[in-house]
Amino acid sequence: MTGKQKQEKNHYLSLGVGLGLVSGSALGILVTSLIGGIGSGMLFAIPIGSSIGMLIGIVIGTLLDSKNQNK
């Protein structure tokens, strides 16, 4: 197995984790600003949104990469 083929297998997983982190953080920032958490010091929505976004990205990336491993 060459290095290029090995790199292509994990392409969607890394993309899913990265996009999940960014979109989860953005969603957490929006939720925090809507509930007024910045003024009261409640910033819990940002790390929770990031972690949920990364978990969703891992699941989606793994599902998309599983098709590449079957070939």
Side-chain angles (χ1 to χ4, degrees):
M1 181 182 291
T2 63
K4 186 176 182 181
Q5 290 175 342
K6 190 174 185 180
Q7 183 182 9
E8 288 177 0
K9 283 188 176 182
N10 293 331
H11 175 71
Y12 292 112
L13 181 61
S14 60
L15 187 65
V17 170
L19 289 177
L21 177 66
V22 170
S23 62
S25 298
L27 185 66
I29 290 171
L30 286 174
V31 169
T32 301
S33 65
L34 289 176
I35 64 172
I38 294 174
S40 62
M42 296 186 314
L43 297 174
F44 61 89
I46 297 171
I48 290 174
S50 299
S51 60
I52 290 173
M54 280 179 37
L55 286 175
I56 292 171
I58 288 170
V59 169
I60 292 173
T62 303
L63 290 175
L64 291 174
D65 279 339
S66 67
K67 293 179 183 178
N68 290 340
Q69 291 177 355
N70 291 336
K71 291 182 180 180

